Each structure stands twice: as C-alpha cells, then as structure tokens.
C-alpha cells in the first residue's frame, strides 16, 4: 500500500486542487440524501396521532438543531487547532464553517417557532433550550464579527479562536437543557443508548435529512474555504498559476 | 403508503400549511441563497485574480522590452 503523506494536504497549496475535486461529490451526496429524505418525510411517514401533519417540521427542525451544535464543535476544534499549531488552513476551515453553522442555528430557531406556534400556542418562550440555542446564534455572530473587525488575519484567527473555545461550554448546556431544567421543549426522542421512540419511517426521514444537511455543510464549507485560500494567498505564484489554468 | 389523496390535500398539510411550508420554504431558500452567494464570490474573485495576472504579465513584458 503506498504511503500517503497527509501533512502534504495541510498546506493550502496542496489542499486547493483537492477541494476542487471533493465539492462535486459532496453536492451529489447532499442531493442523493435530500430526495429520499423528503419522500420519506412527506409520503411514507404517517401523520402523528397527536400533532397531525404539523410534526413534519421535525424532519428539518431536529437535523438543523443537530447541525447547529455539531458545526460549532467542529469549528471550535479547527479554531483551537489553528491556535495551538498555528496552521493557517485550520483557521480558514473554522471561518468557512461559521456562516453555515449560524444559518442552521437560525433555521433551528425559525422552524422551532413555526412548530411551537400551533403546538404550544406561542412562537417563543424564554426557557432553557430556546434561550441557549439563541446564545449559540450570538456566539456564531460574535465569532464572525470579531474576525471581520480585526484586519490582520492571524490576530483575527487567534482572537476568534479563543471566543469559539470559550463558547463550547454552551453546547452541553443546549443538549442537556431539557433534562436539567423544566421546559416546554420536549426531551430527546433519539439517544445513543436507547432505541428511538418514534416510528421507523419517521426516524428514516430524519436521519436521511440529517445526512443531507451534513453533506451540504461539507460542500459549502469547502466552497468557502476555497475562496478564503485564494483571497489570502492571492500574491503567491501558485495562485497565479491556478487562476491562469482555470481561465 | 401514500398519505395524500390529492395535491390540494398535500398542500393543505392538514391545516398546518403556513407552518410546514414556512419551515421547509425558508430552509430551502437559505440553502439556495448561500450557494448562489458563494458561486458569485468565487466568480468575482477569479475574475479579479486573472485580471491582476494579466496586468503583471504585461508589466513584466514591457520591462523586458525596455531593457
């Protein structure tokens, strides 16, 4: 088996063409999970015996909420790696993930509000789960605006990495909030230790759309990191050559 | 297998149409807008970089002619 030098791909120059090859695959995967996910969600999964058709919001609400937390942890991991190893590419990956993470946080709140109105009778309550998810949105916005506020890229990466790492404490608070405090929000129907407490077709729809969001996130984060690499390395010889080729 | 007997029944979502379609619609919109913005960012970036490329090439050429 040929030995692959993985460190080669930690330099932006080597990573750039590799990303270009990966983006179409993740785009195809995202679509390939979305279509059956929507089919299961709307045509196979039966209406809920209590909530009727309104519960179908769950198929995007839960994946969006999962992604909002998952992306944050990955983003903080990359930011921390950039802080410790001083590697440019890790910091770029962190900033490439942040806007998509913020988007999924917004979508979790938005779909939650639209689900909450018919089921709870209110768009919003200041309870633990909803408030900590809102704080997550502010953490993403803080991360992005801190980077935008500092001109020097390395200093911007360091400062925002510290913010991202401190904010990680919010993730277990979101996750366990439904257990730790009394809340209007229901508990988890899916846990690692127990079988899911929902019909198999509902579970399938939710898992398929979770994978779809996941693949989508990888595709757009790679698209964004590609732009970041070009912007930061625009004066280098290899970028001049790469741009000449793609013309 | 199928939950709906007609298209209008599907669109009505058992009376929850604004909530269900409001959720799915905004989610789809956000994802499409993000991709469009990224494609546009990449295009303008590549245009700008290849322009700088050309200018650099011309400048170095005219320098060669002069010397």
């Amino acid at each position: 088996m040929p030995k692959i030098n993985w460190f080669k791909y930690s330099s932006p120059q080597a990573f750039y063409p590799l990303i270009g090859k990966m983006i179409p695959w993740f785009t195809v995967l995202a679509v390939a999970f979305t279509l059956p996910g929507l089919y299961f969600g709307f045509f196979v999964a039966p209406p809920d015996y209590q909530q009727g058709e309104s519960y179908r919001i769950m198929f995007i609400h839960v994946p969006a909420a999962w992604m909002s937390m998952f992306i944050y942890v990955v983003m903080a991991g990359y930011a921390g790696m950039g802080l410790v190893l001083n590697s440019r590419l890790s910091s770029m990956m962190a900033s490439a993930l942040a806007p998509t993470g913020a988007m999924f946080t917004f979508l979790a709140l938005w779909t939650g509000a639209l689900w909450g109105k018919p089921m709870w009778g209110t768009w919003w309550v200041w309870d633990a789960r909803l408030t900590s998810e809102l704080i997550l949105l502010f953490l993403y916005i803080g991360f992005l605006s801190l980077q935008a506020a500092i001109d020097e890229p390395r200093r911007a990466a360091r400062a925002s990495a510290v913010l991202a790492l401190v904010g990680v404490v919010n993730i277990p608070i979101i996750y366990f909030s439904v257990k730790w405090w009394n809340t209007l929000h229901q508990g988890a129907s899916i846990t690692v230790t127990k079988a899911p407490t929902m019909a198999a077709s509902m579970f399938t729809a939710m898992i398929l759309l979770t994978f779809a969001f996941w693949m989508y996130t990888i595709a757009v984060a790679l698209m964004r990191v590609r732009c970041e690499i070009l912007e930061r390395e625009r004066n280098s010889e290899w970028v001049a050559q790469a741009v000449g080729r793609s013309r | 297998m199928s939950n709906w007997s007609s298209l209008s029944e599907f669109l009505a979502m058992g009376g929850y149409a604004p909530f269900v379609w409001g959720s799915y619609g905004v989610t789809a919109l956000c994802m499409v807008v993000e991709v469009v913005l990224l494609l546009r960012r990449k295009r303008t970036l590549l245009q700008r970089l290849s322009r700088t490329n050309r200018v650099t090439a011309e400048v170095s050429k005219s320098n060669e002619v002069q010397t």
Side-chain angles (χ1 to χ4, degrees):
Chain A
M1 201 180 118
K3 200 163 164 263
I4 301 165
N5 181 8
W6 291 106
F7 284 105
K8 194 183 131 195
Y9 293 109
S10 63
S11 89
Q13 180 177 358
F15 194 45
Y16 183 83
L18 181 71
I19 310 172
K21 287 192 200 103
M22 285 157 76
I23 293 169
W25 288 104
F26 285 107
T27 311
V28 168
L29 281 172
V31 176
F33 280 117
T34 303
L35 297 177
L38 290 176
Y39 176 72
F40 267 87
F42 282 110
F43 297 100
V44 181
D48 186 73
Y49 77 103
Q50 276 182 324
Q51 303 196 359
E53 310 294 354
S54 76
Y55 92 98
R56 293 185 198 280
I57 295 171
M58 175 184 78
F59 301 137
I60 45 173
H61 173 72
V62 174
W66 278 344
M67 289 312 293
S68 72
M69 294 188 280
F70 181 70
I71 293 174
Y72 191 90
V73 173
V74 176
M75 178 189 94
Y78 271 122
M81 223 152 79
L83 195 64
V84 175
L85 304 173
N86 213 1
S87 50
R88 281 172 303 169
L89 197 57
S90 329
S91 308
M92 287 187 209
M93 276 306 291
S95 22
L97 282 165
T100 309
M103 186 195 86
F104 278 121
T105 313
F106 162 73
L107 287 174
L109 292 167
W110 173 264
T111 55
L114 283 176
W115 195 7
K117 185 63 184 168
M119 290 303 116
W120 299 340
T122 177
W123 305 102
W124 181 263
V125 280
W126 289 102
D127 86 336
R129 173 56 71 83
L130 281 70
T131 308
S132 53
E133 184 75 11
L134 184 66
I135 290 171
L136 183 69
L137 182 62
F138 293 152
L139 282 169
Y140 277 118
I141 294 171
F143 181 87
L144 286 165
S145 27
L146 194 57
Q147 281 195 329
I150 303 174
D151 282 331
E152 212 265 296
R154 272 169 189 270
R155 273 189 60 214
R158 274 202 299 274
S160 54
V162 172
L163 175 77
L165 287 171
V166 171
V168 170
V169 76
N170 189 40
I171 299 296
I173 296 179
I174 299 175
Y175 191 78
F176 293 111
S177 56
V178 284
K179 281 189 188 161
W180 291 346
W181 291 284
N182 269 322
T183 165
L184 209 51
H185 197 286
Q186 69 169 86
S189 304
I190 293 170
T191 54
V192 185
T193 45
K194 277 175 285 182
T197 55
M198 61 168 79
S201 55
M202 298 179 184
F203 180 73
T204 310
M206 212 163 82
I207 288 301
L208 284 170
L209 287 175
T210 302
F211 279 120
F213 282 1
W214 202 347
M215 299 301 122
Y216 167 87
T217 303
I218 297 176
V220 291
L222 289 178
M223 282 168 80
R224 195 174 285 117
V225 85
R226 226 171 172 230
C227 293
E228 302 253 331
I229 289 175
L230 282 181
E231 273 163 16
R232 291 204 205 174
E233 311 256 313
R234 61 178 175 273
N235 296 321
S236 68
E237 184 59 29
W238 75 267
V239 166
Q241 276 172 5
V243 172
R245 252 207 311 280
S246 68
R247 199 155 28 122
Chain B
M1 194 63 175
S2 193
N3 293 312
W4 324 97
S5 53
S6 68
L7 179 68
S8 56
E9 203 186 303
F10 175 67
L11 292 176
M13 274 296 139
Y16 295 110
F19 304 104
V20 174
W21 299 125
S23 296
Y24 280 83
V26 171
T27 303
L29 187 73
C30 280
M31 293 167 102
V32 169
V33 166
E34 187 180 24
V35 171
V36 168
L37 287 178
L38 275 169
L39 288 174
R40 198 185 288 172
R41 178 177 167 190
K42 189 189 154 200
R43 205 182 53 217
T44 51
L45 194 62
L46 285 177
Q47 278 171 357
R48 213 177 60 211
L49 285 174
S50 69
R51 206 179 305 132
T52 354
N53 247 6
R54 263 201 309 278
V55 172
T56 330
E58 273 162 26
V59 167
S60 64
K61 207 194 274 173
S62 66
N63 282 350
E64 274 167 30
V65 171
Q66 279 170 1
T67 49

